Amino acid sequence: MSEFVMQFGYTPERRRILRGLLAFREALRSIAIVTGFQILDGSFLEDCEHTRQRPPSDIDLVTFSHLPVPAQEARAFLGEHIALFDTAGVKQTYSCDAYFVDLAKDARYVVQDTMYWYGLFSHQRDTFMWKGLVTIPMLSDDNQALALLEQLEAQDAQAA
């Protein structure tokens, strides 16, 4: 995660989005979503400031993880923590256009979801050119990344 912050946190707007991403990841871990990984994508991973003449407004991501409850309790768990699974709410609160794939479901559906998200994330929307995506484990060096982000923000404040 620290490497991701260093690579993509080069403007105040991007650092605001990164702060939201780190807070979202911490919120997921606080409800015991600790296995798996996130695929990060969107204009945040592109040089949209130059190619589209605008900063990114959010970061797109899909969390591939297990829910920390048995399958028969999944609906209740999701309802209890809807603020972390409601796409519009997560976007507003954390600047993350976030989706979730439960790795405990039938493997055929996990494969279908993976193909869908890979197809969506692997090409630019406007040009259809191939592009990369980033995968980060749910358990990473987020605390170090947050400290690095705070250093970058302090540099912004000193420069102002």
Side-chain angles (χ1 to χ4, degrees), residues 67 73-85:
L67 293 175
E73 297 174 25
R75 183 178 298 259
F77 177 84
L78 293 172
E80 190 176 317
H81 302 288
I82 191 65
L84 295 175
F85 296 95

Side-chain angles (χ1 to χ4, degrees), residues 76-135:
F77 177 84
L78 293 172
E80 190 176 317
H81 302 288
I82 191 65
L84 295 175
F85 296 95
D86 173 60
T87 302
V90 169
K91 189 170 186 173
Q92 183 176 9
T93 303
Y94 300 101
S95 298
C96 295
D97 190 8
Y99 301 88
F100 186 83
V101 174
D102 183 3
L103 293 176
K105 65 185 174 182
D106 186 292
R108 293 171 294 181
Y109 300 119
V110 172
V111 169
Q112 286 178 348
D113 286 346
T114 302
M115 290 179 357
Y116 172 78
W117 290 112
Y118 180 77
L120 192 65
F121 282 3
S122 63
H123 294 82
Q124 283 185 330
R125 183 181 351 171
D126 300 331
T127 66
F128 301 107
M129 289 182 59
W130 283 94
K131 65 176 186 166
L133 42 90
V134 174
T135 302

Side-chain angles (χ1 to χ4, degrees), residues 1 9-11 19 32 37 45 49-50 54 56 61 86 88 92 104 109 111 115 122 124 128 138 140 143 148-149 156:
M1 199 66 209
Y10 51 85
T11 66
R19 186 169 282 285
F37 57 93
L45 270 62
E49 289 87 347
H50 294 101
R54 64 161 181 82
L61 69 93
D86 173 60
Q92 183 176 9
Y109 300 119
V111 169
M115 290 179 357
S122 63
Q124 283 185 330
F128 301 107
M138 284 304 296
S140 186
N143 289 336
L148 178 59
L149 188 58
D156 286 346

Side-chain angles (χ1 to χ4, degrees), residues 32-43:
I33 295 180
V34 295
T35 63
F37 57 93
Q38 289 177 320
I39 294 177
L40 309 176
D41 191 58
S43 63

